[in-house]
Amino acid sequence: MTDTARGSSRRYGTRPTMKDVAARAGVGLKTVSRVVNGEPGVTPDTERRVQEAITALGFRRNDSARILRKGRTASIGLVLEDLADPFYGPLSRAVEEVARHHGALLINGSSAEDPAREQELVLALCARRVDGLVVIPAGDDHRYLAPEIAAGVATVFVDRPAGRIEADTVLSDSFGGSRDAVAHLLAHGHRRIGFIGDQPRIHTAKERLRGYRTAMAAAGLPVDDAWVSLGTTEPERVHTAARAMLDAPEPVTALFAGNNRVTVTLVRVLRQCTAPVALVGFDDFELADLVSPAVTVVAQDAARMGRTAAGLLFRRLEGADEPPRREEIPTRLIARGSGEIRPAHD
Amino acid sequence: MTDTARGSSRRYGTRPTMKDVAARAGVGLKTVSRVVNGEPGVTPDTERRVQEAITALGFRRNDSARILRKGRTASIGLVLEDLADPFYGPLSRAVEEVARHHGALLINGSSAEDPAREQELVLALCARRVDGLVVIPAGDDHRYLAPEIAAGVATVFVDRPAGRIEADTVLSDSFGGSRDAVAHLLAHGHRRIGFIGDQPRIHTAKERLRGYRTAMAAAGLPVDDAWVSLGTTEPERVHTAARAMLDAPEPVTALFAGNNRVTVTLVRVLRQCTAPVALVGFDDFELADLVSPAVTVVAQDAARMGRTAAGLLFRRLEGADEPPRREEIPTRLIARGSGEIRPAHD
DNA sequence: CTGAAAGCGCTTACAG
DNA sequence: CTGAAAGCGCTTACAG
């Protein structure tokens, strides 16, 4: 009889519960719970019997039930633009490492740069009752998150600020990094410098443009409208924009790329040019030193951004009750050759 | 009174439940459940009252409770080596897309190529009762998963086969791709070809070595032990191995790299060489065409691997009851220059 | 040292 | 169309 019951409880798709273990070991439910959770107050003999039952039945605690009772899920959500983008790999990994040290798992999803999808994902994670969220926002209005934050979901925004709510934020120094990049080109004799960046609704794109303008202004130089092009990072769009700047009657002698993907496209465009054109890119990429000329970049520290964000998150979860913080991670200019090319004449 | 109760139920960290909504709307619990889940059989007027209560209280259904009752978590686990590795980005993204179409979230973690950590992660995901698992295994003994699979956790192994259990598997054609790569070098006149690959305990490393040996044998050529080096992908290790092959009295005239990271290191090593040495790498990488000479590779389709794996997984979850499958994803040789260099003389 | 009862927040199965 | 009761598999708070 007992054997039959046990047999059927092993059927495909059915798993033994603590109750089954308790029955088999001839103890109470709470005793099984004690053993499973390593709580004290169980005699060695009782413990052994429970362990045997656990092994025999192939019991594994159902954390869904545990989570419901305890109120904490020991998981955090990570919403980013695209898991396949190399910038987010190290960032995700860093968040994961910190989560791991706190015994938490990572649930993540890609927004594909779509605000509606970002919101859908974030709210799905809230419904799962993640303890916290790390969000690289696609949208610019996060009021939908306010009730969740008020209900205790620790939330940190990374790479771009939250829109219309206050929250912990970790950003790269886009403004300072861009200003330095352009100053670097100016120091190498350039006067007509083009900026090709991401869509203007993206915060970092605006900041990088501001850095560009500030550096030009500090050098007392005018900025021709034709030297600035913001838009998608599609190769075709970037290619067209670059060609326009390079084929103008007074062509730019240097280009500053607003991000990773733009930089790579510009490397391709510039190989076709006869006259050398200087290039500095925002954000480093793996083989930047292998291309020739090697590409000068303003490097961001994605792993540090992830670590910092996760650190802030767990501070909140451990009860830190302080106003939202905004951390800025410095960038670093790495001169490799392409940014040190001087203008032909002028 | 009611207001006080409501006020306190909004306290930081406390969230309203269906019961609260029911009380406020003056309906039964089940009616709230019907509205929240869009089930039929609710008058428009009742529905409106419930919706108002939901909005007023900021209610969001607790999926932890739902999951416990329904038995399915609508989440799948993805365990890979390192989220930050560019090979896994597109693979993860592809798995995520398929999961999304099935309404499932992705929980993932990195094993860091450590079998113990792989097991710990996988079992933690099983305790969370993920519906399925996509595993890029680090270890070579997965018997620990047998009870979970028997209990209904759909499991698919990707990139490397499962060890000591039967399970759905999606692999690249490492053997065929490597054989083709080496045949390509042979066709360009090489006779002394070196192979630098990953650690021999990794299945793909063994398969790629087998492809190399098969191609050499098919050409009737001997393989000198000094031409084969398996080990970690640390740049230093790869550098030393390559130098030994290149500085030998009878140096190799071509190198076949067993993976991505090895290829990149070899590009760096070969730039220092005076005599040109041919190179083919297993696995494509983003800027392979920008390096000079551009790098000839055997490309894997990581996204297709991810899609295929997730496809198999959801077939199982939808009840497919068939023996474990093994899908092999073809590779593609992309000639870009480095693999078409001919040996100096001979 | 051990265990019975209540409850976490939902859904299921039924009854009106 | 609507709702009260039971239950998912654990943990909590108590009592022995």
Side-chain angles (χ1 to χ4, degrees):
Chain A
M1 267 299 247
T2 311
D3 272 307
T4 310
R6 227 184 295 133
S8 80
S9 82
R10 277 216 223 165
R11 238 185 6 232
Y12 181 88
T14 313
R15 309 194 61 146
T17 68
M18 280 193 182
K19 207 171 142 195
D20 299 326
V21 174
R24 170 144 184 156
V27 300
L29 188 56
K30 177 62 196 169
T31 299
V32 177
S33 175
R34 285 199 180 89
V35 172
V36 169
N37 295 300
E39 286 167 26
V42 182
T43 54
D45 183 59
T46 308
E47 169 154 10
R48 193 182 41 69
R49 266 163 49 226
V50 172
Q51 287 292 8
E52 277 171 14
I54 287 174
T55 308
L57 297 175
F59 169 79
R60 182 171 316 285
R61 181 179 65 199
N62 182 337
D63 280 350
S64 295
R66 175 166 227 251
I67 282 166
L68 177 59
R69 192 64 239 247
K70 301 208 82 138
R72 282 249 159 142
T73 56
S75 51
I76 68 175
L78 173 61
V79 175
L80 37 73
E81 190 213 320
D82 181 358
L83 264 178
D85 184 313
F87 175 68
Y88 298 116
L91 198 155
S92 306
R93 180 66 197 275
V95 172
E96 187 204 343
E97 282 303 319
V98 177
R100 198 171 104 85
H101 284 297
H102 290 266
L105 288 174
L106 203 63
I107 309 185
N108 56 22
S110 305
S111 70
E113 205 66 273
D114 173 354
R117 195 159 151 187
E118 170 207 299
Q119 176 169 347
E120 183 194 330
L121 245 170
V122 163
L123 291 181
L125 293 168
C126 289
R128 297 289 178 109
R129 296 292 189 267
V130 292
D131 297 331
L133 280 168
V134 174
V135 181
I136 291 147
D140 53 10
D141 185 350
H142 298 94
R143 283 175 296 180
Y144 71 86
L145 254 171
E148 308 297 330
I149 293 173
V153 181
T155 304
V156 182
F157 286 79
V158 185
D159 194 39
R160 306 167 189 170
R164 314 188 69 171
I165 60 166
E166 294 292 311
D168 286 327
T169 310
V170 177
L171 303 175
S172 256
D173 181 12
S174 282
F175 169 72
S178 298
R179 192 191 49 204
D180 295 352
V182 176
H184 185 78
L185 290 167
L186 291 168
H188 285 82
H190 296 277
R191 292 296 170 263
R192 296 194 304 275
I193 301 172
F195 174 65
I196 302 185
D198 214 328
Q199 308 181 65
R201 66 175 180 80
I202 297 175
H203 176 262
T204 52
K206 281 186 292 221
E207 283 296 289
R208 290 167 199 176
L209 175 59
R210 193 165 70 82
Y212 163 86
R213 288 196 186 280
T214 301
M216 294 295 275
L221 293 171
V223 173
D224 191 320
D225 282 350
W227 302 346
V228 173
S229 172
L230 301 189
T232 72
T233 58
E234 300 287 314
E236 196 155 334
R237 204 282 297 177
V238 171
H239 192 282
T240 307
R243 283 262 54 102
M245 295 182 194
L246 294 167
D247 297 339
E250 290 237 289
V252 298
T253 62
L255 287 168
F256 174 47
N259 75 32
N260 228 320
R261 277 167 294 213
V262 173
T263 308
V264 171
T265 301
L266 290 183
V267 169
R268 293 200 160 90
V269 171
L270 295 182
R271 333 201 100 177
Q272 320 292 348
C273 293
T274 42
V277 173
L279 172 66
V280 177
F282 200 101
D283 201 7
D284 202 3
F285 55 96
E286 200 180 343
L287 300 183
D289 63 317
L290 279 189
V291 177
S292 73
V295 182
T296 296
V297 299
V298 178
Q300 305 189 76
D301 192 339
R304 181 166 160 197
M305 292 174 79
R307 265 196 313 277
T308 306
L312 283 176
L313 190 78
F314 284 100
R315 272 175 67 90
R316 294 274 173 207
L317 289 179
E318 280 150 17
D321 192 18
E322 45 191 25
R325 285 213 206 178
R326 184 179 182 127
E327 303 259 358
E328 197 156 87
I329 308 298
T331 58
R332 193 165 53 94
L333 190 129
I334 305 176
R336 293 200 180 103
S338 74
E340 293 72 50
I341 294 170
R342 295 192 156 266
H345 37 77
D346 252 82
Chain B
M1 269 298 250
T2 311
D3 272 306
T4 311
R6 226 182 297 132
S8 79
S9 82
R10 277 217 222 162
R11 235 184 9 229
Y12 182 88
T14 312
R15 310 194 60 146
T17 69
M18 281 195 180
K19 207 172 143 195
D20 299 327
V21 174
R24 171 144 182 156
V27 300
L29 187 57
K30 177 61 197 169
T31 299
V32 178
S33 175
R34 285 200 181 86
V35 172
V36 169
N37 295 301
E39 286 167 25
V42 181
T43 54
D45 183 58
T46 308
E47 169 154 12
R48 193 184 40 70
R49 268 162 50 224
V50 172
Q51 286 293 6
E52 278 171 14
I54 287 175
T55 307
L57 297 175
F59 169 78
R60 181 170 316 285
R61 183 180 65 200
N62 183 336
D63 279 349
S64 295
R66 176 167 225 251
I67 281 166
L68 177 61
R69 192 62 239 248
K70 300 208 83 135
R72 282 248 158 142
T73 56
S75 51
I76 68 175
L78 172 62
V79 176
L80 38 72
E81 189 214 320
D82 181 358
L83 264 179
D85 185 312
F87 176 68
Y88 297 115
L91 198 155
S92 306
R93 180 65 196 276
V95 172
E96 187 204 343
E97 282 304 319
V98 177
R100 198 170 105 84
H101 284 296
H102 290 266
L105 288 175
L106 201 64
I107 309 185
N108 56 23
S110 306
S111 69
E113 205 66 273
D114 173 353
R117 194 158 152 187
E118 170 207 300
Q119 176 169 348
E120 182 194 332
L121 246 169
V122 164
L123 292 180
L125 293 167
C126 289
R128 297 290 179 109
R129 294 294 188 267
V130 291
D131 298 330
L133 280 169
V134 174
V135 181
I136 291 147
D140 52 9
D141 185 350
H142 299 94
R143 283 175 295 179
Y144 71 87
L145 254 171
E148 308 298 328
I149 293 173
V153 181
T155 304
V156 182
F157 285 79
V158 186
D159 193 39
R160 306 167 190 170
R164 313 188 70 169
I165 60 167
E166 293 293 312
D168 287 328
T169 310
V170 178
L171 303 175
S172 257
D173 182 11
S174 281
F175 169 72
S178 298
R179 192 193 47 204
D180 295 351
V182 175
H184 185 78
L185 290 167
L186 291 167
H188 285 81
H190 296 277
R191 293 296 170 263
R192 295 193 304 274
I193 301 173
F195 175 64
I196 303 185
D198 214 328
Q199 308 181 64
R201 65 177 181 78
I202 297 175
H203 176 262
T204 52
K206 280 186 291 222
E207 283 295 288
R208 290 168 198 175
L209 175 58
R210 193 164 69 83
Y212 163 86
R213 289 197 187 279
T214 301
M216 294 295 276
L221 292 171
V223 173
D224 191 320
D225 281 351
W227 300 347
V228 173
S229 172
L230 301 188
T232 73
T233 57
E234 300 287 316
E236 197 155 332
R237 202 284 297 178
V238 172
H239 192 282
T240 307
R243 283 264 54 103
M245 295 182 194
L246 294 167
D247 297 339
E250 289 238 288
V252 299
T253 62
L255 286 168
F256 175 46
N259 76 30
N260 228 321
R261 276 166 295 213
V262 172
T263 308
V264 171
T265 301
L266 290 183
V267 170
R268 293 201 159 90
V269 171
L270 294 182
R271 330 202 101 179
Q272 320 292 346
C273 292
T274 42
V277 173
L279 173 66
V280 177
F282 200 103
D283 201 8
D284 202 4
F285 55 96
E286 201 180 342
L287 299 182
D289 63 316
L290 279 188
V291 176
S292 73
V295 181
T296 295
V297 299
V298 177
Q300 307 188 76
D301 193 339
R304 182 167 161 198
M305 292 174 78
R307 265 196 313 278
T308 306
L312 283 175
L313 190 78
F314 283 100
R315 273 175 68 90
R316 293 276 173 206
L317 288 180
E318 280 151 15
D321 192 19
E322 44 192 27
R325 284 214 206 176
R326 183 178 182 128
E327 303 260 358
E328 197 156 87
I329 308 298
T331 58
R332 193 166 53 95
L333 190 128
I334 305 175
R336 294 202 179 103
S338 73
E340 294 71 52
I341 294 171
R342 295 192 156 266
H345 37 76
D346 252 83

